[in-house]
Structure formats: C-alpha cells, structure tokens
mmCIF file of all heavy atoms in Angstrom:
data_model
loop_
_atom_site.group_PDB
_atom_site.id
_atom_site.type_symbol
_atom_site.label_atom_id
_atom_site.label_comp_id
_atom_site.label_asym_id
_atom_site.label_seq_id
_atom_site.Cartn_x
_atom_site.Cartn_y
_atom_site.Cartn_z
ATOM 1 N N MET K 198 -2.944 6.564 5.867
ATOM 2 C CA MET K 198 -3.855 5.663 5.181
ATOM 3 C C MET K 198 -3.012 4.612 4.473
ATOM 4 O O MET K 198 -1.850 4.856 4.155
ATOM 5 C CB MET K 198 -4.715 6.407 4.162
ATOM 6 C CG MET K 198 -5.566 7.504 4.756
ATOM 7 S SD MET K 198 -6.707 8.249 3.552
ATOM 8 C CE MET K 198 -8.015 7.009 3.544
ATOM 9 N N GLY K 199 -3.609 3.464 4.235
ATOM 10 C CA GLY K 199 -2.860 2.417 3.584
ATOM 11 C C GLY K 199 -3.725 1.402 2.876
ATOM 12 O O GLY K 199 -4.943 1.349 3.081
ATOM 13 N N TRP K 200 -3.075 0.623 2.029
ATOM 14 C CA TRP K 200 -3.715 -0.487 1.348
ATOM 15 C C TRP K 200 -3.021 -1.776 1.760
ATOM 16 O O TRP K 200 -1.785 -1.830 1.827
ATOM 17 C CB TRP K 200 -3.638 -0.336 -0.172
ATOM 18 C CG TRP K 200 -4.550 0.707 -0.730
ATOM 19 C CD1 TRP K 200 -4.249 1.998 -1.012
ATOM 20 C CD2 TRP K 200 -5.929 0.533 -1.079
ATOM 21 N NE1 TRP K 200 -5.346 2.652 -1.524
ATOM 22 C CE2 TRP K 200 -6.386 1.777 -1.575
ATOM 23 C CE3 TRP K 200 -6.810 -0.547 -1.029
ATOM 24 C CZ2 TRP K 200 -7.693 1.970 -2.015
ATOM 25 C CZ3 TRP K 200 -8.116 -0.354 -1.463
ATOM 26 C CH2 TRP K 200 -8.543 0.885 -1.942
ATOM 27 N N TYR K 201 -3.810 -2.794 2.031
ATOM 28 C CA TYR K 201 -3.322 -4.115 2.388
ATOM 29 C C TYR K 201 -4.012 -5.129 1.493
ATOM 30 O O TYR K 201 -5.051 -4.851 0.907
ATOM 31 C CB TYR K 201 -3.623 -4.433 3.853
ATOM 32 C CG TYR K 201 -2.927 -3.520 4.843
ATOM 33 C CD1 TYR K 201 -3.365 -2.213 5.035
ATOM 34 C CD2 TYR K 201 -1.838 -3.969 5.589
ATOM 35 C CE1 TYR K 201 -2.731 -1.373 5.936
ATOM 36 C CE2 TYR K 201 -1.204 -3.137 6.495
ATOM 37 C CZ TYR K 201 -1.655 -1.837 6.661
ATOM 38 O OH TYR K 201 -1.019 -1.018 7.559
ATOM 39 N N ARG K 202 -3.436 -6.310 1.393
ATOM 40 C CA ARG K 202 -4.069 -7.349 0.596
ATOM 41 C C ARG K 202 -3.899 -8.702 1.265
ATOM 42 O O ARG K 202 -2.961 -8.931 2.017
ATOM 43 C CB ARG K 202 -3.506 -7.387 -0.821
ATOM 44 C CG ARG K 202 -2.042 -7.823 -0.920
ATOM 45 C CD ARG K 202 -1.553 -7.691 -2.351
ATOM 46 N NE ARG K 202 -0.173 -8.132 -2.498
ATOM 47 C CZ ARG K 202 0.548 -7.988 -3.602
ATOM 48 N NH1 ARG K 202 0.008 -7.400 -4.669
ATOM 49 N NH2 ARG K 202 1.801 -8.420 -3.655
ATOM 50 N N GLN K 203 -4.822 -9.584 0.971
ATOM 51 C CA GLN K 203 -4.778 -10.923 1.522
ATOM 52 C C GLN K 203 -5.218 -11.935 0.479
ATOM 53 O O GLN K 203 -6.343 -11.883 -0.014
ATOM 54 C CB GLN K 203 -5.666 -11.038 2.766
ATOM 55 C CG GLN K 203 -5.542 -12.354 3.493
ATOM 56 C CD GLN K 203 -6.162 -12.317 4.878
ATOM 57 O OE1 GLN K 203 -7.035 -11.501 5.158
ATOM 58 N NE2 GLN K 203 -5.704 -13.188 5.749
ATOM 59 N N ALA K 204 -4.310 -12.829 0.139
ATOM 60 C CA ALA K 204 -4.594 -13.901 -0.800
ATOM 61 C C ALA K 204 -5.005 -15.140 -0.017
ATOM 62 O O ALA K 204 -4.671 -15.280 1.161
ATOM 63 C CB ALA K 204 -3.367 -14.194 -1.653
ATOM 64 N N PRO K 205 -5.725 -16.064 -0.653
ATOM 65 C CA PRO K 205 -6.153 -17.284 0.036
ATOM 66 C C PRO K 205 -4.978 -18.042 0.651
ATOM 67 O O PRO K 205 -3.967 -18.267 -0.014
ATOM 68 C CB PRO K 205 -6.808 -18.094 -1.081
ATOM 69 C CG PRO K 205 -7.318 -17.061 -2.026
ATOM 70 C CD PRO K 205 -6.243 -16.006 -2.027
ATOM 71 N N GLY K 206 -5.106 -18.396 1.921
ATOM 72 C CA GLY K 206 -4.065 -19.148 2.594
ATOM 73 C C GLY K 206 -2.869 -18.344 3.040
ATOM 74 O O GLY K 206 -1.911 -18.915 3.569
ATOM 75 N N LYS K 207 -2.903 -17.041 2.841
ATOM 76 C CA LYS K 207 -1.785 -16.197 3.221
ATOM 77 C C LYS K 207 -2.221 -15.118 4.212
ATOM 78 O O LYS K 207 -3.400 -14.806 4.333
ATOM 79 C CB LYS K 207 -1.162 -15.532 1.995
ATOM 80 C CG LYS K 207 -0.539 -16.500 1.004
ATOM 81 C CD LYS K 207 0.151 -15.754 -0.124
ATOM 82 C CE LYS K 207 0.825 -16.707 -1.092
ATOM 83 N NZ LYS K 207 1.508 -15.975 -2.187
ATOM 84 N N GLN K 208 -1.242 -14.570 4.910
ATOM 85 C CA GLN K 208 -1.519 -13.497 5.850
ATOM 86 C C GLN K 208 -1.714 -12.181 5.105
ATOM 87 O O GLN K 208 -1.235 -12.004 3.988
ATOM 88 C CB GLN K 208 -0.372 -13.350 6.849
ATOM 89 C CG GLN K 208 -0.199 -14.521 7.802
ATOM 90 C CD GLN K 208 0.848 -14.244 8.860
ATOM 91 O OE1 GLN K 208 1.787 -13.484 8.647
ATOM 92 N NE2 GLN K 208 0.680 -14.857 10.016
ATOM 93 N N ARG K 209 -2.424 -11.284 5.742
ATOM 94 C CA ARG K 209 -2.618 -9.973 5.163
ATOM 95 C C ARG K 209 -1.275 -9.244 5.137
ATOM 96 O O ARG K 209 -0.523 -9.258 6.116
ATOM 97 C CB ARG K 209 -3.641 -9.179 5.976
ATOM 98 C CG ARG K 209 -4.046 -7.862 5.356
ATOM 99 C CD ARG K 209 -5.217 -7.227 6.105
ATOM 100 N NE ARG K 209 -6.398 -8.085 6.073
ATOM 101 C CZ ARG K 209 -7.586 -7.728 6.553
ATOM 102 N NH1 ARG K 209 -7.757 -6.536 7.092
ATOM 103 N NH2 ARG K 209 -8.603 -8.574 6.489
ATOM 104 N N GLU K 210 -0.968 -8.616 4.016
ATOM 105 C CA GLU K 210 0.297 -7.922 3.879
ATOM 106 C C GLU K 210 0.109 -6.471 3.451
ATOM 107 O O GLU K 210 -0.861 -6.120 2.787
ATOM 108 C CB GLU K 210 1.199 -8.635 2.870
ATOM 109 C CG GLU K 210 0.669 -8.633 1.445
ATOM 110 C CD GLU K 210 1.641 -9.233 0.447
ATOM 111 O OE1 GLU K 210 2.831 -9.407 0.795
ATOM 112 O OE2 GLU K 210 1.209 -9.529 -0.689
ATOM 113 N N LEU K 211 1.056 -5.669 3.831
ATOM 114 C CA LEU K 211 1.043 -4.258 3.473
ATOM 115 C C LEU K 211 1.351 -4.093 1.993
ATOM 116 O O LEU K 211 2.268 -4.712 1.463
ATOM 117 C CB LEU K 211 2.068 -3.499 4.314
ATOM 118 C CG LEU K 211 2.270 -2.024 3.982
ATOM 119 C CD1 LEU K 211 1.040 -1.225 4.400
ATOM 120 C CD2 LEU K 211 3.509 -1.492 4.687
ATOM 121 N N VAL K 212 0.600 -3.230 1.343
ATOM 122 C CA VAL K 212 0.816 -2.927 -0.064
ATOM 123 C C VAL K 212 1.401 -1.531 -0.228
ATOM 124 O O VAL K 212 2.330 -1.313 -1.008
ATOM 125 C CB VAL K 212 -0.492 -3.041 -0.871
ATOM 126 C CG1 VAL K 212 -0.265 -2.606 -2.319
ATOM 127 C CG2 VAL K 212 -1.020 -4.471 -0.825
ATOM 128 N N ALA K 213 0.849 -0.574 0.485
ATOM 129 C CA ALA K 213 1.316 0.799 0.392
ATOM 130 C C ALA K 213 0.752 1.624 1.534
ATOM 131 O O ALA K 213 -0.338 1.342 2.030
ATOM 132 C CB ALA K 213 0.904 1.423 -0.945
ATOM 133 N N THR K 214 1.490 2.631 1.948
ATOM 134 C CA THR K 214 1.010 3.560 2.961
ATOM 135 C C THR K 214 1.306 4.979 2.517
ATOM 136 O O THR K 214 2.233 5.220 1.745
ATOM 137 C CB THR K 214 1.667 3.339 4.339
ATOM 138 O OG1 THR K 214 3.081 3.521 4.236
ATOM 139 C CG2 THR K 214 1.363 1.951 4.869
ATOM 140 N N ILE K 215 0.519 5.895 3.037
ATOM 141 C CA ILE K 215 0.736 7.302 2.740
ATOM 142 C C ILE K 215 0.353 8.121 3.959
ATOM 143 O O ILE K 215 -0.693 7.914 4.575
ATOM 144 C CB ILE K 215 -0.070 7.748 1.490
ATOM 145 C CG1 ILE K 215 0.248 9.204 1.138
ATOM 146 C CG2 ILE K 215 -1.572 7.555 1.702
ATOM 147 C CD1 ILE K 215 -0.263 9.609 -0.240
ATOM 148 N N THR K 216 1.210 9.039 4.346
ATOM 149 C CA THR K 216 0.950 9.887 5.500
ATOM 150 C C THR K 216 0.101 11.075 5.079
ATOM 151 O O THR K 216 -0.140 11.308 3.901
ATOM 152 C CB THR K 216 2.253 10.393 6.120
ATOM 153 O OG1 THR K 216 2.894 11.294 5.203
ATOM 154 C CG2 THR K 216 3.196 9.240 6.433
ATOM 155 N N SER K 217 -0.345 11.829 6.065
ATOM 156 C CA SER K 217 -1.141 13.014 5.770
ATOM 157 C C SER K 217 -0.334 14.034 4.976
ATOM 158 O O SER K 217 -0.905 14.852 4.253
ATOM 159 C CB SER K 217 -1.652 13.650 7.067
ATOM 160 O OG SER K 217 -0.580 14.022 7.916
ATOM 161 N N GLY K 218 0.987 13.970 5.110
ATOM 162 C CA GLY K 218 1.860 14.874 4.385
ATOM 163 C C GLY K 218 2.252 14.381 3.007
ATOM 164 O O GLY K 218 2.951 15.079 2.272
ATOM 165 N N GLY K 219 1.824 13.162 2.656
ATOM 166 C CA GLY K 219 2.101 12.638 1.334
ATOM 167 C C GLY K 219 3.299 11.720 1.216
ATOM 168 O O GLY K 219 3.647 11.292 0.111
ATOM 169 N N SER K 220 3.932 11.382 2.324
ATOM 170 C CA SER K 220 5.063 10.463 2.288
ATOM 171 C C SER K 220 4.558 9.044 2.073
ATOM 172 O O SER K 220 3.628 8.604 2.746
ATOM 173 C CB SER K 220 5.851 10.547 3.590
ATOM 174 O OG SER K 220 6.943 9.659 3.579
ATOM 175 N N THR K 221 5.176 8.313 1.146
ATOM 176 C CA THR K 221 4.712 6.968 0.804
ATOM 177 C C THR K 221 5.758 5.898 1.062
ATOM 178 O O THR K 221 6.958 6.165 1.090
ATOM 179 C CB THR K 221 4.299 6.893 -0.667
ATOM 180 O OG1 THR K 221 5.435 7.206 -1.497
ATOM 181 C CG2 THR K 221 3.193 7.896 -0.970
ATOM 182 N N ASN K 222 5.271 4.664 1.231
ATOM 183 C CA ASN K 222 6.132 3.511 1.404
ATOM 184 C C ASN K 222 5.515 2.313 0.699
ATOM 185 O O ASN K 222 4.302 2.142 0.708
ATOM 186 C CB ASN K 222 6.335 3.185 2.881
ATOM 187 C CG ASN K 222 7.321 4.104 3.552
ATOM 188 O OD1 ASN K 222 6.943 5.009 4.281
ATOM 189 N ND2 ASN K 222 8.608 3.874 3.293
ATOM 190 N N TYR K 223 6.367 1.483 0.093
ATOM 191 C CA TYR K 223 5.934 0.293 -0.611
ATOM 192 C C TYR K 223 6.885 -0.859 -0.342
ATOM 193 O O TYR K 223 8.090 -0.652 -0.209
ATOM 194 C CB TYR K 223 5.916 0.512 -2.128
ATOM 195 C CG TYR K 223 5.173 1.729 -2.607
ATOM 196 C CD1 TYR K 223 5.817 2.958 -2.724
ATOM 197 C CD2 TYR K 223 3.837 1.643 -2.970
ATOM 198 C CE1 TYR K 223 5.142 4.078 -3.186
ATOM 199 C CE2 TYR K 223 3.153 2.754 -3.433
ATOM 200 C CZ TYR K 223 3.815 3.970 -3.539
ATOM 201 O OH TYR K 223 3.134 5.073 -3.998
ATOM 202 N N PRO K 224 6.369 -2.064 -0.296
ATOM 203 C CA PRO K 224 7.257 -3.224 -0.204
ATOM 204 C C PRO K 224 7.864 -3.478 -1.586
ATOM 205 O O PRO K 224 7.348 -2.992 -2.600
ATOM 206 C CB PRO K 224 6.317 -4.352 0.215
ATOM 207 C CG PRO K 224 5.005 -3.961 -0.378
ATOM 208 C CD PRO K 224 4.947 -2.460 -0.235
ATOM 209 N N ASP K 225 8.942 -4.229 -1.630
ATOM 210 C CA ASP K 225 9.619 -4.492 -2.893
ATOM 211 C C ASP K 225 8.724 -5.198 -3.913
ATOM 212 O O ASP K 225 8.913 -5.041 -5.117
ATOM 213 C CB ASP K 225 10.874 -5.328 -2.659
ATOM 214 C CG ASP K 225 11.963 -4.553 -1.950
ATOM 215 O OD1 ASP K 225 11.933 -3.308 -1.982
ATOM 216 O OD2 ASP K 225 12.858 -5.194 -1.362
ATOM 217 N N SER K 226 7.759 -5.955 -3.442
ATOM 218 C CA SER K 226 6.897 -6.712 -4.329
ATOM 219 C C SER K 226 6.050 -5.843 -5.259
ATOM 220 O O SER K 226 5.640 -6.293 -6.328
ATOM 221 C CB SER K 226 5.985 -7.642 -3.528
ATOM 222 O OG SER K 226 5.172 -6.905 -2.630
ATOM 223 N N VAL K 227 5.787 -4.602 -4.851
ATOM 224 C CA VAL K 227 4.955 -3.727 -5.675
ATOM 225 C C VAL K 227 5.649 -2.434 -6.063
ATOM 226 O O VAL K 227 5.121 -1.674 -6.887
ATOM 227 C CB VAL K 227 3.620 -3.380 -4.976
ATOM 228 C CG1 VAL K 227 2.908 -4.644 -4.527
ATOM 229 C CG2 VAL K 227 3.851 -2.452 -3.791
ATOM 230 N N LYS K 228 6.803 -2.193 -5.509
ATOM 231 C CA LYS K 228 7.530 -0.957 -5.776
ATOM 232 C C LYS K 228 7.797 -0.787 -7.273
ATOM 233 O O LYS K 228 8.269 -1.699 -7.937
ATOM 234 C CB LYS K 228 8.838 -0.948 -4.997
ATOM 235 C CG LYS K 228 9.549 0.406 -4.963
ATOM 236 C CD LYS K 228 10.742 0.366 -4.016
ATOM 237 C CE LYS K 228 10.303 0.073 -2.592
ATOM 238 N NZ LYS K 228 11.456 0.056 -1.642
ATOM 239 N N GLY K 229 7.473 0.380 -7.780
ATOM 240 C CA GLY K 229 7.661 0.663 -9.186
ATOM 241 C C GLY K 229 6.454 0.337 -10.033
ATOM 242 O O GLY K 229 6.376 0.763 -11.192
ATOM 243 N N ARG K 230 5.518 -0.421 -9.484
ATOM 244 C CA ARG K 230 4.315 -0.807 -10.221
ATOM 245 C C ARG K 230 3.052 -0.166 -9.645
ATOM 246 O O ARG K 230 2.139 0.180 -10.386
ATOM 247 C CB ARG K 230 4.139 -2.325 -10.215
ATOM 248 C CG ARG K 230 5.280 -3.082 -10.883
ATOM 249 C CD ARG K 230 4.948 -4.568 -11.017
ATOM 250 N NE ARG K 230 4.735 -5.213 -9.725
ATOM 251 C CZ ARG K 230 3.605 -5.813 -9.368
ATOM 252 N NH1 ARG K 230 2.570 -5.851 -10.202
ATOM 253 N NH2 ARG K 230 3.502 -6.386 -8.177
ATOM 254 N N PHE K 231 3.013 -0.025 -8.327
ATOM 255 C CA PHE K 231 1.847 0.537 -7.648
ATOM 256 C C PHE K 231 2.145 1.944 -7.156
ATOM 257 O O PHE K 231 3.275 2.251 -6.765
ATOM 258 C CB PHE K 231 1.453 -0.317 -6.440
ATOM 259 C CG PHE K 231 0.886 -1.665 -6.777
ATOM 260 C CD1 PHE K 231 0.918 -2.171 -8.066
ATOM 261 C CD2 PHE K 231 0.315 -2.442 -5.771
ATOM 262 C CE1 PHE K 231 0.399 -3.428 -8.363
ATOM 263 C CE2 PHE K 231 -0.209 -3.692 -6.057
ATOM 264 C CZ PHE K 231 -0.172 -4.189 -7.342
ATOM 265 N N THR K 232 1.117 2.778 -7.146
ATOM 266 C CA THR K 232 1.249 4.134 -6.638
ATOM 267 C C THR K 232 0.052 4.479 -5.761
ATOM 268 O O THR K 232 -1.092 4.356 -6.195
ATOM 269 C CB THR K 232 1.340 5.162 -7.779
ATOM 270 O OG1 THR K 232 2.452 4.859 -8.626
ATOM 271 C CG2 THR K 232 1.522 6.566 -7.204
ATOM 272 N N ILE K 233 0.326 4.893 -4.540
ATOM 273 C CA ILE K 233 -0.738 5.307 -3.640
ATOM 274 C C ILE K 233 -0.810 6.830 -3.632
ATOM 275 O O ILE K 233 0.212 7.508 -3.700
ATOM 276 C CB ILE K 233 -0.511 4.767 -2.206
ATOM 277 C CG1 ILE K 233 -1.729 5.052 -1.319
ATOM 278 C CG2 ILE K 233 0.760 5.346 -1.590
ATOM 279 C CD1 ILE K 233 -1.660 4.367 0.047
ATOM 280 N N SER K 234 -2.008 7.357 -3.571
ATOM 281 C CA SER K 234 -2.207 8.798 -3.527
ATOM 282 C C SER K 234 -3.466 9.093 -2.727
ATOM 283 O O SER K 234 -4.236 8.191 -2.407
ATOM 284 C CB SER K 234 -2.312 9.380 -4.946
ATOM 285 O OG SER K 234 -3.424 8.837 -5.637
ATOM 286 N N ARG K 235 -3.664 10.350 -2.400
ATOM 287 C CA ARG K 235 -4.851 10.706 -1.634
ATOM 288 C C ARG K 235 -5.352 12.086 -2.006
ATOM 289 O O ARG K 235 -4.596 12.954 -2.446
ATOM 290 C CB ARG K 235 -4.566 10.624 -0.129
ATOM 291 C CG ARG K 235 -3.500 11.592 0.371
ATOM 292 C CD ARG K 235 -3.076 11.252 1.796
ATOM 293 N NE ARG K 235 -4.121 11.546 2.774
ATOM 294 C CZ ARG K 235 -4.067 11.185 4.055
ATOM 295 N NH1 ARG K 235 -3.029 10.479 4.501
ATOM 296 N NH2 ARG K 235 -5.055 11.511 4.878
ATOM 297 N N ASP K 236 -6.638 12.273 -1.811
ATOM 298 C CA ASP K 236 -7.290 13.553 -2.011
ATOM 299 C C ASP K 236 -7.919 13.904 -0.673
ATOM 300 O O ASP K 236 -8.989 13.405 -0.330
ATOM 301 C CB ASP K 236 -8.346 13.458 -3.110
ATOM 302 C CG ASP K 236 -8.967 14.806 -3.446
ATOM 303 O OD1 ASP K 236 -8.972 15.700 -2.575
ATOM 304 O OD2 ASP K 236 -9.452 14.975 -4.581
ATOM 305 N N ASN K 237 -7.243 14.730 0.083
ATOM 306 C CA ASN K 237 -7.712 15.063 1.423
ATOM 307 C C ASN K 237 -9.065 15.784 1.427
ATOM 308 O O ASN K 237 -9.847 15.635 2.362
ATOM 309 C CB ASN K 237 -6.669 15.915 2.143
ATOM 310 C CG ASN K 237 -5.406 15.139 2.452
ATOM 311 O OD1 ASN K 237 -5.442 13.920 2.659
ATOM 312 N ND2 ASN K 237 -4.271 15.828 2.486
ATOM 313 N N ALA K 238 -9.329 16.551 0.397
ATOM 314 C CA ALA K 238 -10.596 17.267 0.315
ATOM 315 C C ALA K 238 -11.767 16.306 0.172
ATOM 316 O O ALA K 238 -12.891 16.613 0.578
ATOM 317 C CB ALA K 238 -10.579 18.251 -0.847
#
C-alpha cells in the first residue's frame, strides 16, 4: 500500500509505501516527518 501526492502543475509523486510485512520506504522530501502504517485487520 502507498500514499502519493500531486500538486498543481506537478506530476504525481510517491510519498510513502508499506509492504504487507511492514517494510516502509520514503523519499528524502518527507523522511523523518511522515510515517506510514497499516492495520491489516
């Protein structure tokens, strides 16, 4: 699962991803500020 964002006049960009096992990835632009999580239930 993931979050993406799109600002006016810009392409959609990746914000964060998380695998079913809980592994996460963030671009430098949001790293340290954003946190992705999931509740599988």
Side-chain angles (χ1 to χ4, degrees):
M198 301 186 80
W200 287 95
Y201 297 74
R202 67 186 182 188
Q203 187 166 23
K207 296 184 178 181
Q208 293 186 332
R209 187 171 299 186
E210 65 175 346
L211 175 70
V212 175
T214 60
I215 184 167
T216 67
S217 59
S220 180
T221 61
N222 282 103
Y223 309 89
D225 290 339
S226 60
V227 307
K228 192 173 298 181
R230 299 188 299 120
F231 291 10
T232 302
I233 188 171
S234 62
R235 63 192 290 171
D236 185 335
N237 292 330

